[in-house]
């Protein structure tokens, strides 16, 4: 069973008589609006960076008493938190709280609100996962009732067809995207007994992994990010099957314009934009239009994270982290480019990884979160050097992993979201 399929069957661990204590730790743009007493960055020159936190801090969201957090997601400039106060494994509905930019309704509502105000929406059933792109969002949900069917729902921008709703794919004719809608065309493509198991958002495209190990894509295809075939660069406004994967896929990752996938044997595949040498082929390739096997000697590959200019993979029995591409690779300021995967030895064994655009997070075997990346605007790396408003000096670029001041007890690896300028880490605890 793939990890994605296993998550669909994960049993509910909270007992009905236990009291849930849900916490959210955050840093980056906008989140300072929800953090009482936390030091915020100085007034920015850009209106896109109000109320930012340059170090991790607890934020307060209006959750119902005893509510638990089901999923978190973050995109380029928006974030979503799914919550319910129903202890059932299949609640009748889930509430979504969103903040950040909402120009295309990517928060699940067409409501006009400042980015530092919460926008609420509701979807049927239980939200299993959230993925966010540039100006669109996607959910994996489980319906209430006996059938408990999984559904992919999307909202937001659809200029390239990334919502999968078969709408006109020209920006001028783009319909309003401010409400959650199921991707009905995906259901028609499912085989007997097959269901959606994981969803990922690139900047302007969406990927769906199924329980049968197939991968579907929709949205922008100019750089081959749909993996639709050797000559396919057109957008797709309904899901299309990723072309030529030789074995069933167990995991996928995307955040910008390329994708990574692991098959059931632990082999690694790549498709999409590869101009920074991040495809692990030993060469720069402008576009990879159909999946290719990536060259990573340690096996098997057990975790992946696709950024914008680099690719990360955890591989081998020692769970070492490997990187390939360009930018803040995690190898120090002396090494900012590689066409072959190199080990980030300073981290040792790595349990989980996350990446987007030009920043990364890694969870080591001791439960500590490490951060590195470029352009620390709005405190996006969470690495301020001081908590004093008068003494803070933000590092501009961080080329090697640095531990964040987050208690491992406050981290649930399944409730981590890394967006371009926003990061969220949630945890549900119980008290008798």
């Amino acid at each position: 069973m793939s990890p994605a399929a296993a998550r669909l069957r994960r049993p509910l661990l909270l007992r009905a008589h236990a009291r849930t204590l849900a916490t959210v730790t955050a840093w980056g743009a906008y989140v300072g609006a929800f953090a009482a007493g936390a030091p915020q960055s100085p007034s920015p020159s850009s209106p896109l960076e109000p109320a930012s936190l340059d170090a991790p801090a607890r934020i307060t969201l209006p959750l119902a008493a005893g509510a638990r957090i089901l999923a978190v997601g973050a995109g380029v400039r928006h974030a979503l938190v799914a919550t319910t106060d129903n202890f059932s494994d299949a609640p009748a509905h889930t509430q979504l709280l969103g903040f950040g930019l909402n120009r295309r309704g990517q928060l699940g509502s067409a409501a006009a609100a400042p980015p530092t105000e919460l926008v609420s929406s509701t979807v049927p059933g239980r939200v299993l996962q959230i993925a966010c792109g540039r100006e669109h969002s996607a959910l994996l949900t489980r319906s209430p009732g006996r059938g408990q069917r999984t559904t992919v729902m999307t909202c937001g921008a659809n200029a390239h067809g990334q919502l999968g709703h078969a709408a006109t794919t020209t920006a001028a004719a783009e319909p309003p995207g401010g409400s959650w809608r199921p991707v009905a065309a995906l259901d028609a493509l499912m085989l007997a007994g097959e269901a959606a198991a994981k969803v990922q958002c690139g900047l302007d495209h969406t990927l769906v992994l199924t329980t049968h190990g197939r991968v579907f894509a929709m949205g922008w295809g100019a750089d081959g990010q749909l993996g639709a075939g050797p000559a396919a660069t057109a957008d797709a406004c309904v899901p299309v099957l990723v072309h030529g994967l030789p074995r069933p896929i167990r995991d996928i990752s995307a955040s910008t314009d390329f994708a990574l996938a692991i098959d059931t044997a632990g082999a690694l595949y790549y498709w999409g934009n590869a101009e920074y040498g991040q495809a692990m082929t030993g060469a720069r390739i402008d576009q990879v239009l159909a999946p290719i096997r990536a060259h990573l000697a340690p096996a098997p590959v057990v975790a992946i994270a696709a950024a914008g200019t680099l690719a990360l993979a955890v591989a081998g029995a020692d769970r070492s982290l490997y990187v390939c591409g360009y930018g803040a690779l995690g190898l120090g300021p002396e090494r900012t480019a590689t066409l072959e995967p190199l080990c980030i030895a300073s981290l040792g064994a790595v349990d989980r990884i996350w990446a987007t655009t030009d920043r990364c997070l890694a969870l080591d075997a001791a439960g500590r979160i490490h951060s590195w990346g470029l352009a620390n605007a709005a405190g996006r790396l969470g690495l301020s050097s001081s908590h004093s408003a008068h003494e803070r000096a933000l590092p501009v670029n961080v080329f090697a992993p640095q531990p964040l001041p987050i208690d491992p007890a406050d981290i649930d690896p399944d409730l981590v979201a890394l967006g371009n300028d926003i990061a969220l880490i949630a945890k549900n605890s119980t008290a008798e």
Side-chain angles (χ1 to χ4, degrees):
M1 181 185 300
S2 72
R7 282 194 294 271
L8 296 182
R9 300 186 182 183
R10 185 171 54 191
L12 183 65
L13 299 178
L14 298 177
R15 296 186 296 276
H17 62 276
R19 183 166 58 93
T20 304
L21 303 174
T23 61
V24 180
T25 301
W27 65 94
Y30 313 127
V31 297
F34 316 109
Q40 298 182 21
S41 295
S43 298
S45 57
S46 167
L48 293 180
E49 297 177 3
S52 61
L53 293 180
D54 52 34
R58 289 276 186 92
I59 65 172
T60 301
L61 300 176
L63 305 180
R68 55 199 167 97
I69 294 170
L70 301 178
V72 293
V76 170
R77 279 279 175 168
H78 70 287
L80 290 160
V81 176
T83 178
T84 181
D85 57 359
N86 188 323
F87 281 91
S88 166
D89 197 34
H93 66 272
T94 297
Q95 182 186 24
L96 289 140
L97 299 174
F99 61 90
L101 301 186
N102 194 37
R103 190 172 70 96
R104 293 294 185 181
Q106 57 262 47
L107 298 181
S109 169
T116 53
E117 290 187 9
L118 291 173
V119 173
S120 178
S121 62
T122 302
V123 296
R126 176 190 174 100
V127 171
L128 302 172
Q129 190 213 339
I130 303 172
C132 300
R134 188 200 311 266
E135 289 186 311
H136 78 292
S137 304
L139 306 175
L140 180 64
T141 69
R142 178 191 288 138
S143 62
R146 290 184 178 180
Q148 296 198 2
R149 182 174 59 93
T150 59
T151 300
V152 174
M153 305 186 76
T154 56
C155 70
N158 197 38
H160 298 282
Q162 58 264 52
L163 303 188
H165 295 160
T168 303
T169 58
T170 60
E174 181 184 355
S179 61
W180 296 106
R181 294 171 57 194
V183 183
L186 186 63
D187 293 338
L189 298 171
M190 294 295 173
L191 304 175
E194 187 177 27
K198 185 173 183 177
V199 64
Q200 291 280 274
C201 289
L203 287 175
D204 301 299
H205 75 287
T206 306
L207 299 177
V208 179
L209 172 65
T210 77
T211 53
H212 282 27
R214 298 197 298 166
V215 181
F216 292 91
M218 50 204 181
W220 192 22
D223 285 321
Q225 51 267 68
L226 303 185
T233 58
D235 295 353
C237 59
V238 293
V240 295
L241 186 66
V242 172
H243 174 85
L245 290 165
R247 280 190 292 261
I249 296 301
R250 59 183 290 269
D251 201 8
I252 56 173
S253 177
S255 71
T256 54
D257 292 325
F258 73 90
L260 298 172
I262 311 171
D263 71 15
T264 51
L268 179 62
Y269 299 88
Y270 183 106
W271 64 93
N273 180 284
E275 62 182 310
Y276 300 99
Q278 67 269 44
M280 302 187 188
T281 62
R284 286 185 176 85
I285 307 171
D286 186 31
Q287 299 169 332
V288 179
L289 303 183
I292 59 172
R293 176 81 177 266
H295 305 310
L296 186 58
V301 176
V302 295
I304 49 177
T309 62
L310 60 90
L312 296 174
V314 177
D318 61 355
R319 298 188 67 91
S320 292
L321 178 58
Y322 293 83
V323 62
C324 191
Y326 171 79
L329 301 178
L331 302 171
E334 302 82 13
R335 192 64 183 262
T336 59
T338 177
L339 298 178
E340 302 283 354
L342 297 176
C343 179
I344 305 177
S346 63
L347 284 171
V350 171
D351 283 350
R352 299 285 284 272
I353 48 176
W354 302 267
T356 182
T357 315
D358 53 8
R359 61 188 291 220
C360 308
L361 293 178
L363 180 71
D364 68 18
R368 296 169 300 197
I369 289 272
H370 301 257
S371 174
W372 68 100
L374 299 177
N376 196 24
R380 63 202 293 265
L381 302 181
L383 292 168
S384 69
S385 61
S386 168
H387 286 280
S388 165
H390 299 289
E391 298 176 2
R392 279 198 308 276
L394 298 183
V396 176
N397 301 313
V398 177
F399 292 98
Q402 301 295 319
L404 291 174
I406 304 174
D407 188 335
D410 290 336
I411 300 169
D412 180 343
D414 290 328
L415 295 176
V416 175
L418 184 66
N420 189 69
D421 294 307
I422 303 168
L424 304 174
I425 298 177
K427 180 66 180 287
N428 294 308
S429 303
T430 58
E432 298 297 331

PDB file of all heavy atoms in Angstrom, residues 402-429:
ATOM      1  N   GLN A 402      19.652  25.434   8.991  1.00  0.00           N
ATOM      2  CA  GLN A 402      19.761  25.998  10.333  1.00  0.00           C
ATOM      3  C   GLN A 402      18.541  25.543  11.136  1.00  0.00           C
ATOM      4  O   GLN A 402      17.413  25.613  10.645  1.00  0.00           O
ATOM      5  CB  GLN A 402      19.801  27.528  10.281  1.00  0.00           C
ATOM      6  CG  GLN A 402      20.948  28.099   9.467  1.00  0.00           C
ATOM      7  CD  GLN A 402      22.300  27.786  10.072  1.00  0.00           C
ATOM      8  OE1 GLN A 402      22.462  27.844  11.291  1.00  0.00           O
ATOM      9  NE2 GLN A 402      23.260  27.436   9.226  1.00  0.00           N
ATOM     10  N   PRO A 403      18.744  25.097  12.384  1.00  0.00           N
ATOM     11  CA  PRO A 403      17.601  24.647  13.178  1.00  0.00           C
ATOM     12  C   PRO A 403      16.697  25.802  13.568  1.00  0.00           C
ATOM     13  O   PRO A 403      17.169  26.899  13.885  1.00  0.00           O
ATOM     14  CB  PRO A 403      18.254  24.005  14.408  1.00  0.00           C
ATOM     15  CG  PRO A 403      19.594  24.668  14.509  1.00  0.00           C
ATOM     16  CD  PRO A 403      20.023  24.955  13.105  1.00  0.00           C
ATOM     17  N   LEU A 404      15.395  25.560  13.533  1.00  0.00           N
ATOM     18  CA  LEU A 404      14.425  26.554  13.961  1.00  0.00           C
ATOM     19  C   LEU A 404      14.065  26.325  15.429  1.00  0.00           C
ATOM     20  O   LEU A 404      14.031  25.176  15.891  1.00  0.00           O
ATOM     21  CB  LEU A 404      13.156  26.469  13.111  1.00  0.00           C
ATOM     22  CG  LEU A 404      13.296  26.899  11.654  1.00  0.00           C
ATOM     23  CD1 LEU A 404      12.007  26.616  10.892  1.00  0.00           C
ATOM     24  CD2 LEU A 404      13.664  28.370  11.544  1.00  0.00           C
ATOM     25  N   PRO A 405      13.764  27.399  16.163  1.00  0.00           N
ATOM     26  CA  PRO A 405      13.437  27.247  17.591  1.00  0.00           C
ATOM     27  C   PRO A 405      12.003  26.777  17.813  1.00  0.00           C
ATOM     28  O   PRO A 405      11.145  27.494  18.324  1.00  0.00           O
ATOM     29  CB  PRO A 405      13.655  28.662  18.132  1.00  0.00           C
ATOM     30  CG  PRO A 405      13.328  29.554  16.972  1.00  0.00           C
ATOM     31  CD  PRO A 405      13.809  28.811  15.744  1.00  0.00           C
ATOM     32  N   ILE A 406      11.741  25.535  17.409  1.00  0.00           N
ATOM     33  CA  ILE A 406      10.413  24.934  17.554  1.00  0.00           C
ATOM     34  C   ILE A 406      10.559  23.650  18.354  1.00  0.00           C
ATOM     35  O   ILE A 406      11.369  22.779  18.009  1.00  0.00           O
ATOM     36  CB  ILE A 406       9.767  24.636  16.189  1.00  0.00           C
ATOM     37  CG1 ILE A 406       9.702  25.904  15.326  1.00  0.00           C
ATOM     38  CG2 ILE A 406       8.375  24.057  16.369  1.00  0.00           C
ATOM     39  CD1 ILE A 406       9.217  25.650  13.910  1.00  0.00           C
ATOM     40  N   ASP A 407       9.784  23.516  19.410  1.00  0.00           N
ATOM     41  CA  ASP A 407       9.805  22.312  20.228  1.00  0.00           C
ATOM     42  C   ASP A 407       9.310  21.132  19.387  1.00  0.00           C
ATOM     43  O   ASP A 407       8.228  21.207  18.783  1.00  0.00           O
ATOM     44  CB  ASP A 407       8.902  22.509  21.443  1.00  0.00           C
ATOM     45  CG  ASP A 407       9.006  21.373  22.471  1.00  0.00           C
ATOM     46  OD1 ASP A 407       9.372  20.253  22.073  1.00  0.00           O
ATOM     47  OD2 ASP A 407       8.690  21.620  23.638  1.00  0.00           O
ATOM     48  N   PRO A 408      10.069  20.031  19.316  1.00  0.00           N
ATOM     49  CA  PRO A 408       9.592  18.868  18.557  1.00  0.00           C
ATOM     50  C   PRO A 408       8.206  18.393  18.989  1.00  0.00           C
ATOM     51  O   PRO A 408       7.468  17.813  18.182  1.00  0.00           O
ATOM     52  CB  PRO A 408      10.660  17.805  18.843  1.00  0.00           C
ATOM     53  CG  PRO A 408      11.903  18.600  19.094  1.00  0.00           C
ATOM     54  CD  PRO A 408      11.442  19.832  19.816  1.00  0.00           C
ATOM     55  N   ALA A 409       7.829  18.673  20.243  1.00  0.00           N
ATOM     56  CA  ALA A 409       6.502  18.278  20.720  1.00  0.00           C
ATOM     57  C   ALA A 409       5.392  19.067  20.044  1.00  0.00           C
ATOM     58  O   ALA A 409       4.222  18.674  20.113  1.00  0.00           O
ATOM     59  CB  ALA A 409       6.415  18.452  22.235  1.00  0.00           C
ATOM     60  N   ASP A 410       5.727  20.181  19.403  1.00  0.00           N
ATOM     61  CA  ASP A 410       4.735  21.014  18.720  1.00  0.00           C
ATOM     62  C   ASP A 410       4.647  20.705  17.230  1.00  0.00           C
ATOM     63  O   ASP A 410       3.997  21.442  16.482  1.00  0.00           O
ATOM     64  CB  ASP A 410       5.074  22.498  18.896  1.00  0.00           C
ATOM     65  CG  ASP A 410       4.858  22.977  20.314  1.00  0.00           C
ATOM     66  OD1 ASP A 410       4.062  22.354  21.039  1.00  0.00           O
ATOM     67  OD2 ASP A 410       5.485  23.988  20.697  1.00  0.00           O
ATOM     68  N   ILE A 411       5.303  19.638  16.782  1.00  0.00           N
ATOM     69  CA  ILE A 411       5.379  19.343  15.349  1.00  0.00           C
ATOM     70  C   ILE A 411       4.662  18.026  15.036  1.00  0.00           C
ATOM     71  O   ILE A 411       4.974  16.990  15.614  1.00  0.00           O
ATOM     72  CB  ILE A 411       6.843  19.231  14.887  1.00  0.00           C
ATOM     73  CG1 ILE A 411       7.601  20.537  15.141  1.00  0.00           C
ATOM     74  CG2 ILE A 411       6.913  18.866  13.403  1.00  0.00           C
ATOM     75  CD1 ILE A 411       9.098  20.414  14.952  1.00  0.00           C
ATOM     76  N   ASP A 412       3.702  18.086  14.138  1.00  0.00           N
ATOM     77  CA  ASP A 412       3.126  16.892  13.518  1.00  0.00           C
ATOM     78  C   ASP A 412       3.568  16.919  12.059  1.00  0.00           C
ATOM     79  O   ASP A 412       3.148  17.802  11.303  1.00  0.00           O
ATOM     80  CB  ASP A 412       1.601  16.908  13.612  1.00  0.00           C
ATOM     81  CG  ASP A 412       0.954  15.679  12.986  1.00  0.00           C
ATOM     82  OD1 ASP A 412       1.633  14.980  12.205  1.00  0.00           O
ATOM     83  OD2 ASP A 412      -0.232  15.425  13.258  1.00  0.00           O
ATOM     84  N   PRO A 413       4.435  16.003  11.617  1.00  0.00           N
ATOM     85  CA  PRO A 413       4.934  16.047  10.239  1.00  0.00           C
ATOM     86  C   PRO A 413       3.847  16.014   9.177  1.00  0.00           C
ATOM     87  O   PRO A 413       4.073  16.453   8.047  1.00  0.00           O
ATOM     88  CB  PRO A 413       5.832  14.806  10.153  1.00  0.00           C
ATOM     89  CG  PRO A 413       6.217  14.516  11.561  1.00  0.00           C
ATOM     90  CD  PRO A 413       5.024  14.903  12.388  1.00  0.00           C
ATOM     91  N   ASP A 414       2.660  15.503   9.519  1.00  0.00           N
ATOM     92  CA  ASP A 414       1.549  15.484   8.568  1.00  0.00           C
ATOM     93  C   ASP A 414       0.798  16.814   8.534  1.00  0.00           C
ATOM     94  O   ASP A 414      -0.113  16.986   7.725  1.00  0.00           O
ATOM     95  CB  ASP A 414       0.568  14.371   8.920  1.00  0.00           C
ATOM     96  CG  ASP A 414       1.148  12.989   8.661  1.00  0.00           C
ATOM     97  OD1 ASP A 414       1.957  12.853   7.723  1.00  0.00           O
ATOM     98  OD2 ASP A 414       0.801  12.054   9.400  1.00  0.00           O
ATOM     99  N   LEU A 415       1.178  17.747   9.412  1.00  0.00           N
ATOM    100  CA  LEU A 415       0.511  19.055   9.474  1.00  0.00           C
ATOM    101  C   LEU A 415       1.528  20.171   9.317  1.00  0.00           C
ATOM    102  O   LEU A 415       1.610  21.102  10.124  1.00  0.00           O
ATOM    103  CB  LEU A 415      -0.261  19.204  10.789  1.00  0.00           C
ATOM    104  CG  LEU A 415      -1.438  18.248  10.997  1.00  0.00           C
ATOM    105  CD1 LEU A 415      -2.048  18.449  12.379  1.00  0.00           C
ATOM    106  CD2 LEU A 415      -2.505  18.441   9.919  1.00  0.00           C
ATOM    107  N   VAL A 416       2.338  20.071   8.269  1.00  0.00           N
ATOM    108  CA  VAL A 416       3.334  21.089   7.936  1.00  0.00           C
ATOM    109  C   VAL A 416       3.029  21.608   6.540  1.00  0.00           C
ATOM    110  O   VAL A 416       2.798  20.828   5.617  1.00  0.00           O
ATOM    111  CB  VAL A 416       4.760  20.525   7.990  1.00  0.00           C
ATOM    112  CG1 VAL A 416       5.777  21.572   7.525  1.00  0.00           C
ATOM    113  CG2 VAL A 416       5.111  20.050   9.405  1.00  0.00           C
ATOM    114  N   ALA A 417       3.018  22.933   6.385  1.00  0.00           N
ATOM    115  CA  ALA A 417       2.796  23.555   5.075  1.00  0.00           C
ATOM    116  C   ALA A 417       3.868  24.596   4.835  1.00  0.00           C
ATOM    117  O   ALA A 417       4.070  25.480   5.675  1.00  0.00           O
ATOM    118  CB  ALA A 417       1.413  24.192   4.999  1.00  0.00           C
ATOM    119  N   LEU A 418       4.561  24.499   3.716  1.00  0.00           N
ATOM    120  CA  LEU A 418       5.593  25.461   3.343  1.00  0.00           C
ATOM    121  C   LEU A 418       5.182  26.148   2.057  1.00  0.00           C
ATOM    122  O   LEU A 418       5.178  25.535   0.984  1.00  0.00           O
ATOM    123  CB  LEU A 418       6.936  24.753   3.165  1.00  0.00           C
ATOM    124  CG  LEU A 418       8.121  25.667   2.858  1.00  0.00           C
ATOM    125  CD1 LEU A 418       8.428  26.569   4.048  1.00  0.00           C
ATOM    126  CD2 LEU A 418       9.347  24.858   2.462  1.00  0.00           C
ATOM    127  N   GLY A 419       4.809  27.425   2.167  1.00  0.00           N
ATOM    128  CA  GLY A 419       4.485  28.224   1.003  1.00  0.00           C
ATOM    129  C   GLY A 419       5.641  29.134   0.653  1.00  0.00           C
ATOM    130  O   GLY A 419       6.669  29.163   1.334  1.00  0.00           O
ATOM    131  N   ASN A 420       5.471  29.898  -0.407  1.00  0.00           N
ATOM    132  CA  ASN A 420       6.541  30.780  -0.849  1.00  0.00           C
ATOM    133  C   ASN A 420       6.939  31.775   0.236  1.00  0.00           C
ATOM    134  O   ASN A 420       8.122  32.022   0.463  1.00  0.00           O
ATOM    135  CB  ASN A 420       6.113  31.529  -2.112  1.00  0.00           C
ATOM    136  CG  ASN A 420       7.258  32.294  -2.743  1.00  0.00           C
ATOM    137  OD1 ASN A 420       8.186  31.702  -3.272  1.00  0.00           O
ATOM    138  ND2 ASN A 420       7.201  33.619  -2.677  1.00  0.00           N
ATOM    139  N   ASP A 421       5.965  32.342   0.940  1.00  0.00           N
ATOM    140  CA  ASP A 421       6.250  33.352   1.960  1.00  0.00           C
ATOM    141  C   ASP A 421       5.554  33.076   3.284  1.00  0.00           C
ATOM    142  O   ASP A 421       5.571  33.920   4.179  1.00  0.00           O
ATOM    143  CB  ASP A 421       5.850  34.742   1.466  1.00  0.00           C
ATOM    144  CG  ASP A 421       6.700  35.197   0.291  1.00  0.00           C
ATOM    145  OD1 ASP A 421       7.935  35.166   0.421  1.00  0.00           O
ATOM    146  OD2 ASP A 421       6.141  35.545  -0.756  1.00  0.00           O
ATOM    147  N   ILE A 422       4.907  31.933   3.424  1.00  0.00           N
ATOM    148  CA  ILE A 422       4.174  31.580   4.648  1.00  0.00           C
ATOM    149  C   ILE A 422       4.503  30.133   5.001  1.00  0.00           C
ATOM    150  O   ILE A 422       4.539  29.272   4.118  1.00  0.00           O
ATOM    151  CB  ILE A 422       2.650  31.712   4.444  1.00  0.00           C
ATOM    152  CG1 ILE A 422       2.265  33.131   4.003  1.00  0.00           C
ATOM    153  CG2 ILE A 422       1.895  31.342   5.717  1.00  0.00           C
ATOM    154  CD1 ILE A 422       0.840  33.249   3.508  1.00  0.00           C
ATOM    155  N   ALA A 423       4.729  29.870   6.287  1.00  0.00           N
ATOM    156  CA  ALA A 423       4.925  28.497   6.757  1.00  0.00           C
ATOM    157  C   ALA A 423       4.034  28.247   7.961  1.00  0.00           C
ATOM    158  O   ALA A 423       3.898  29.110   8.837  1.00  0.00           O
ATOM    159  CB  ALA A 423       6.379  28.256   7.122  1.00  0.00           C
ATOM    160  N   LEU A 424       3.423  27.067   8.026  1.00  0.00           N
ATOM    161  CA  LEU A 424       2.550  26.673   9.112  1.00  0.00           C
ATOM    162  C   LEU A 424       2.949  25.280   9.611  1.00  0.00           C
ATOM    163  O   LEU A 424       3.217  24.384   8.812  1.00  0.00           O
ATOM    164  CB  LEU A 424       1.083  26.623   8.662  1.00  0.00           C
ATOM    165  CG  LEU A 424       0.462  27.870   8.042  1.00  0.00           C
ATOM    166  CD1 LEU A 424      -0.940  27.553   7.544  1.00  0.00           C
ATOM    167  CD2 LEU A 424       0.422  28.998   9.058  1.00  0.00           C
ATOM    168  N   ILE A 425       2.955  25.108  10.938  1.00  0.00           N
ATOM    169  CA  ILE A 425       3.174  23.797  11.547  1.00  0.00           C
ATOM    170  C   ILE A 425       2.122  23.632  12.640  1.00  0.00           C
ATOM    171  O   ILE A 425       2.061  24.437  13.579  1.00  0.00           O
ATOM    172  CB  ILE A 425       4.589  23.669  12.149  1.00  0.00           C
ATOM    173  CG1 ILE A 425       5.653  23.813  11.054  1.00  0.00           C
ATOM    174  CG2 ILE A 425       4.735  22.337  12.882  1.00  0.00           C
ATOM    175  CD1 ILE A 425       7.069  23.764  11.572  1.00  0.00           C
ATOM    176  N   ALA A 426       1.281  22.608  12.536  1.00  0.00           N
ATOM    177  CA  ALA A 426       0.189  22.415  13.488  1.00  0.00           C
ATOM    178  C   ALA A 426       0.405  21.134  14.279  1.00  0.00           C
ATOM    179  O   ALA A 426       1.158  20.238  13.888  1.00  0.00           O
ATOM    180  CB  ALA A 426      -1.147  22.376  12.762  1.00  0.00           C
ATOM    181  N   LYS A 427      -0.295  21.050  15.406  1.00  0.00           N
ATOM    182  CA  LYS A 427      -0.227  19.857  16.245  1.00  0.00           C
ATOM    183  C   LYS A 427      -1.530  19.748  17.026  1.00  0.00           C
ATOM    184  O   LYS A 427      -2.027  20.733  17.591  1.00  0.00           O
ATOM    185  CB  LYS A 427       0.944  19.959  17.229  1.00  0.00           C
ATOM    186  CG  LYS A 427       1.116  18.759  18.158  1.00  0.00           C
ATOM    187  CD  LYS A 427       1.512  17.494  17.402  1.00  0.00           C
ATOM    188  CE  LYS A 427       1.680  16.302  18.333  1.00  0.00           C
ATOM    189  NZ  LYS A 427       2.917  16.381  19.146  1.00  0.00           N
ATOM    190  N   ASN A 428      -2.096  18.546  17.062  1.00  0.00           N
ATOM    191  CA  ASN A 428      -3.247  18.237  17.902  1.00  0.00           C
ATOM    192  C   ASN A 428      -2.764  17.419  19.089  1.00  0.00           C
ATOM    193  O   ASN A 428      -2.142  16.367  18.907  1.00  0.00           O
ATOM    194  CB  ASN A 428      -4.303  17.441  17.139  1.00  0.00           C
ATOM    195  CG  ASN A 428      -4.935  18.232  16.012  1.00  0.00           C
ATOM    196  OD1 ASN A 428      -5.405  19.342  16.220  1.00  0.00           O
ATOM    197  ND2 ASN A 428      -4.936  17.675  14.809  1.00  0.00           N
ATOM    198  N   SER A 429      -3.031  17.894  20.279  1.00  0.00           N
ATOM    199  CA  SER A 429      -2.714  17.155  21.492  1.00  0.00           C
ATOM    200  C   SER A 429      -4.012  16.829  22.209  1.00  0.00           C
ATOM    201  O   SER A 429      -5.055  17.416  21.949  1.00  0.00           O
ATOM    202  CB  SER A 429      -1.799  17.974  22.407  1.00  0.00           C
ATOM    203  OG  SER A 429      -0.619  18.347  21.721  1.00  0.00           O
TER     204      SER A 429
END
